[in-house]
Amino acid sequence: MIGLVEDVRLQTRAYHPEPYVYVPYWQNPLAVDARLCVRVHGDPAAMLSSLVREVHRVDPDVPIAEIITLPLQLNGAFQPLRLSATFVSYVAGLAVLLSAMGVYGTLAFAVSRRTKEIGIRMALGAKAREIRAMIVWEEISLILVAILAGLLLATVGQRLVRHLLLGAAPGDMFFYAAAALLVLLTGLFACWIPARRAARVEPMVALRED
């Protein structure tokens, strides 16, 4: 009797399903060992010794090379993936932090260079709140363009490397949005503080700036 079973990943989810033929154990000349999965009620770890006693009671000559619970075996199989994911997460977090610091430093420097321009505008009658709004809007518009470009590149890059990633899904855009929000808030902070400081400078003092 021949039956078909669904595709399965033999080792881990990282492996693609491959064609296999299931045959009775005693008809497989390559079989050198056997594994038995037992479902128990209660804590599996507490039942290990009882299972060993039951096996030895049936046949004391049956060798038992390893006895382990399924959760522990799965943890061992996925441990390298968890370590890699943790490392990548830390690197990604560091990249976002460095990006935020770079955005803050660049925008703060750019606004500080406009002190003389701000003094001229204030001398011509511009109000402090108008100066702040102008600077913040101009700089934030640049950040928004950069964020949109970054999200587009991230989406394209995810599709290109999806076959190298385990569990990559459209839901990952949540993390992209969180990173974009962090950069946006950092840019807003970087614009607001220097703009507020520059708007408080007296016009004549600002005009004397080199």
Side-chain angles (χ1 to χ4, degrees), residues 36-111:
L36 182 65
C37 297
V38 180
R39 177 180 294 176
V40 300
H41 294 285
D43 184 12
M47 300 294 294
L48 295 181
S49 58
S50 300
L51 293 174
V52 173
R53 287 196 302 267
E54 288 299 319
V55 172
H56 287 166
R57 185 179 63 84
V58 175
D59 189 351
D61 296 330
V62 173
I64 300 178
E66 182 183 30
I67 181 169
I68 189 174
T69 61
L70 183 59
L72 188 60
Q73 186 175 4
L74 291 177
N75 287 336
F78 286 105
Q79 188 65 23
L81 294 176
R82 290 194 181 97
L83 291 177
S84 300
T86 301
F87 175 75
V88 172
S89 299
Y90 284 133
V91 171
L94 179 61
V96 172
L97 179 60
L98 293 177
S99 299
M101 294 175 60
V103 168
Y104 178 84
T106 302
L107 294 182
F109 177 76
V111 174

Side-chain angles (χ1 to χ4, degrees), residues 10 26 35-36 38 69 76 87 97 127 131 134 176 178 192 195:
L10 184 61
W26 297 112
R35 297 182 181 182
L36 182 65
V38 180
T69 61
F87 175 75
L97 179 60
K127 297 180 180 179
I131 295 295
M134 178 195 67
Y176 298 154
W192 176 258

Side-chain angles (χ1 to χ4, degrees), residues 12 15 18 24 47 64 73 84 86-87 101 116 120 123-124 136 146 151 160-161 170 190 194 202 208:
T12 67
Y15 288 84
E18 298 180 4
M47 300 294 294
I64 300 178
Q73 186 175 4
S84 300
T86 301
F87 175 75
M101 294 175 60
K116 188 171 184 179
I120 295 175
L124 294 177
V136 170
L151 291 176
L160 292 177
V161 301
E202 292 295 330
R208 295 193 187 100

Side-chain angles (χ1 to χ4, degrees), residues 126-147:
K127 297 180 180 179
R129 64 174 181 273
E130 295 174 347
I131 295 295
R132 290 194 297 267
M134 178 195 67
I135 294 177
V136 170
W137 171 248
E138 289 179 356
E139 303 299 337
I140 288 297
S141 61
L142 295 177
I143 296 177
L144 290 176
V145 173
I147 288 176

